[in-house]
Amino acid sequence: MSVLDLARAEIRAMQPYSSARMEASGGAIMLNANESAWAPPGDDGLGCNRYPDPQPQALLDALATLYGVRSNQVLVGRGSDEAIDLLVRAFCRAGQDAIAIQPPTFGMYAVSARIQGAAVVEVPLSPSFTLDVDALLAALRPAVKLVFVCTPNNPTGQQVTQAEIVRLAQALSGRALLVVDEAYIEFSDAASVAGLINRYDNLAVLRTLSKAWALAGARIGSLLANEEVIALLRRIMPPYPLPRPCVDLALEALSERGQAIARGHVEVVRQERQRMRAALAVLPGVRQVLPSQANFLAVRFDDAAAAYQGLLGAGIVVRDVRRYPQLGDALRITIGTPEENDRVLTALQDVFA
């Protein structure tokens, strides 16, 4: 059985849109896409009067090298959100199919499913926010075509082991596509599971340049998967997803110099995460600091509303996650610079003094 048998038959059969840039490029005189012949003010040689390459080969090659896969196993788009949306649209028929998630987790999985008219099967994380593989597998029904697993999980920060991912991939073979979201993996002690996609054709991995690579504003995310899955999603992807300036920023970030800078910042975050967890844990008003392998800490408070307002009054914005299951007393605090983190500690001391 091919993993594409899980996808919507009408998507597999459709004739994709063929953009002008996909059909031809590189000529001396480009008159096939109804573009302006003149570059805009401030273009500085970028050529933004021309449509960009839908999947720039230089960026695909750089990402493939970074993630340890082949370039034809990479789909790059506007953040991980676009890949999530494409997966749901390609594999889930409205009113018939479903996805499975483990709340509390990243909200866009469910949002994308509901926009598509797909059901959402929820299998809550354990009270300690670990994944219960047995419970997840027991809850699945034939309608579930996509199983999303976020590791490290957002907003709780816990890690799912590679052994658990392997067990899920094996159990879901021929039944569903397992989508592992590794948006925060660079901050973790664990290795990526991207190397497993050659063993399991029903495994896909989400990666992003928004976090460790400091490119949240450029919106560059990747899906790593079986070549057939990548080719299918390219058929339904909008024709020009990647702005030229964003591609240039990504290539600079992935250069030797850029990677050295990113590694240095990641190490600072990891050190500060450890320091902040210890410092927050002894503050009055703090009930618990959840262990985290990401660039944030989920913190339980005696009065989370007061903590949130106190931080806001000090000019510090954190994420209020009280609406998430099992987190009714919690805030999520991103690890900032050492100076920013000190201000968080001072502000919370003032709130609960």
Side-chain angles (χ1 to χ4, degrees):
M1 178 181 179
S2 166
V3 67
L4 292 190
D5 292 334
L6 299 169
R8 292 166 55 193
E10 62 271 30
I11 296 295
R12 299 199 308 267
M14 69 176 281
Q15 180 66 34
Y17 175 74
S18 180
S19 69
R21 195 60 70 241
M22 291 169 65
E23 291 176 354
S25 63
I29 300 176
M30 299 290 289
L31 301 177
N32 66 334
N34 303 332
E35 304 152 321
S36 171
W38 298 274
D43 185 73
D44 296 327
L46 273 175
C48 285
N49 56 312
R50 303 295 182 188
Y51 287 111
D53 188 330
Q55 294 286 284
Q57 194 61 49
L59 182 56
L60 291 177
D61 291 343
L63 290 168
T65 299
L66 179 68
Y67 299 141
V69 298
R70 298 188 296 275
S71 59
N72 63 354
Q73 295 174 318
V74 181
L75 182 82
V76 61
R78 292 165 290 198
S80 298
D81 296 339
E82 182 164 35
I84 293 166
D85 180 62
L86 290 170
L87 284 166
V88 173
R89 285 194 282 143
F91 284 85
C92 294
R93 297 165 295 174
Q96 298 182 58
D97 294 323
I99 71 166
I101 61 173
Q102 306 89 53
T105 194
F106 184 44
M108 282 307 296
Y109 314 138
V111 168
S112 293
R114 289 173 177 135
I115 290 172
Q116 175 64 14
V120 179
V121 175
E122 297 187 356
V123 185
L125 295 173
S126 75
S128 59
F129 301 107
T130 57
L131 174 66
D132 187 333
V133 175
D134 290 327
L136 175 57
L137 292 175
L140 298 185
R141 55 184 194 265
V144 173
K145 294 298 189 295
L146 299 170
V147 177
F148 287 95
V149 174
C150 189
T151 176
N153 187 51
N154 175 19
T156 58
Q158 99 285 350
Q159 187 78 40
V160 179
T161 68
Q162 182 165 306
E164 290 171 317
I165 297 299
V166 167
R167 185 180 168 203
L168 281 170
Q170 291 174 339
L172 296 173
S173 179
R175 300 170 57 192
L177 187 69
L178 175 61
V179 185
V180 179
D181 189 343
E182 294 185 336
Y184 300 93
I185 194 69
E186 289 91 347
F187 304 102
S188 169
D189 295 331
S192 169
V193 298
L196 299 177
I197 64 176
N198 289 320
R199 288 169 53 188
Y200 304 102
D201 69 351
N202 66 322
L203 175 64
V205 178
L206 293 166
R207 299 294 296 265
T208 183
L209 300 185
S210 293
K211 311 299 182 182
W213 298 91
L215 286 177
R219 311 302 301 127
I220 302 287
S222 301
L223 179 74
L224 316 177
N226 176 287
E227 297 93 319
E228 291 182 306
V229 172
I230 298 300
L232 180 71
L233 297 188
R234 287 191 67 169
R235 293 163 65 89
I236 63 172
M237 193 175 205
Y240 303 112
L242 299 170
R244 288 176 183 267
C246 297
V247 172
D248 277 16
L249 280 170
L251 290 171
E252 177 63 27
L254 297 173
S255 68
E256 185 176 349
R257 173 179 174 273
Q259 291 197 38
I261 291 171
R263 285 194 297 270
H265 291 161
V266 166
E267 185 54 36
V268 171
V269 169
R270 287 166 57 89
Q271 292 173 2
E272 284 293 293
R273 181 180 67 199
Q274 183 176 356
R275 178 177 78 92
M276 284 292 287
R277 187 181 181 205
L280 286 164
V282 298
L283 286 182
V286 173
R287 289 179 181 169
Q288 183 187 14
V289 184
L290 298 184
S292 174
Q293 287 284 300
N295 68 335
F296 56 80
L297 293 167
V299 185
R300 297 187 183 277
F301 292 92
D302 291 334
D303 188 342
Y308 183 84
Q309 290 301 323
L311 288 166
L312 197 59
I316 300 166
V317 182
V318 298
R319 185 74 158 178
D320 187 344
V321 294
R322 288 177 292 165
R323 67 188 182 279
Y324 286 77
Q326 304 184 62
L327 292 174
D329 57 357
L331 304 176
R332 190 192 69 193
I333 303 174
T334 303
I335 303 300
T337 66
E339 295 75 21
E340 289 171 336
N341 299 332
D342 287 340
R343 287 184 60 186
V344 169
L345 296 173
T346 300
L348 287 174
Q349 286 172 336
D350 293 342
V351 169
F352 295 109

